[in-house]
Amino acid sequence: MGNFFTDTVQRDARLHSLERVADAALLWPPFRIKIARIIRRATERKQEFVLFETFRSVERQAALFEQGRSKLRRVGVHHYGLAADLVRRVNGQLDWEADYALLGELARAEGLVWGGEWKSFPDVVHIQAIPVALQAKLFAGNYYPSFPPTR
């Protein structure tokens, strides 16, 4: 037994998909629970968030970069089941320009990283399970969060 990435994500038929994937089943289980809690708590506070993208393949990331829709050339934390984009629905429409402060507040309350706080390129819809400082180890294959998580 490896980890959620090797045991689940890498075995999924969508591993090389160019399509957007919004399947919560491809999120590391402890992270999936926190995302569900964030969505529920936001709803209780009269804001609706939609799970817009979970897993992202290497191929999709490259295509998004080439289209100018991402600032990252190489795939990031989405590829490992450790990131999700939650887009706010306002008046029935997905709205990337809405106020995302509540999303940041709820992510921080869950001990997660909110992309809206990044100085280099704020990404207000992005939440991830691991600190930026651990990303290089993750990408190199030298790290994956433990299950159950230690916090």
Side-chain angles (χ1 to χ4, degrees), residues 22-99:
D23 187 352
L26 288 179
L27 294 176
W28 180 52
F31 181 56
R32 181 184 324 144
I33 291 166
K34 291 180 179 199
I35 292 296
R37 205 164 30 228
I38 286 170
I39 291 170
R40 186 183 75 247
R41 288 181 175 155
T43 300
E44 290 167 356
R45 293 177 62 179
K46 310 295 186 225
Q47 288 188 24
E48 181 183 1
F49 286 93
V50 173
L51 187 59
F52 185 78
E53 188 163 28
T54 56
F55 172 77
R56 186 178 298 154
S57 71
V58 171
E59 294 83 357
R60 178 167 166 76
Q61 184 64 46
L64 290 172
F65 179 80
E66 291 302 320
Q67 295 165 10
R69 293 175 50 208
S70 175
K71 294 184 192 265
L72 295 177
R73 178 182 298 272
R74 298 178 207 257
V75 74
V77 181
H78 279 280
H79 186 69
Y80 298 88
L82 298 171
D85 291 340
L86 297 174
V87 178
R88 190 159 166 214
R89 188 185 318 259
V90 179
N91 298 322
Q93 301 293 318
L94 296 182
D95 187 348
W96 280 262
E97 304 300 320
D99 181 354

Side-chain angles (χ1 to χ4, degrees), residues 79-139:
H79 186 69
Y80 298 88
L82 298 171
D85 291 340
L86 297 174
V87 178
R88 190 159 166 214
R89 188 185 318 259
V90 179
N91 298 322
Q93 301 293 318
L94 296 182
D95 187 348
W96 280 262
E97 304 300 320
D99 181 354
Y100 281 82
L102 178 61
L103 184 60
E105 175 189 325
L106 295 173
R108 283 188 300 275
E110 292 289 342
L112 302 173
V113 175
W114 177 49
E117 295 177 322
W118 294 341
K119 303 293 183 228
S120 56
F121 60 96
D123 188 354
V124 296
V125 302
H126 180 89
I127 297 174
Q128 66 183 50
I130 65 167
V132 172
L134 289 175
Q135 288 180 182
K137 288 176 69 174
L138 174 74
F139 301 156

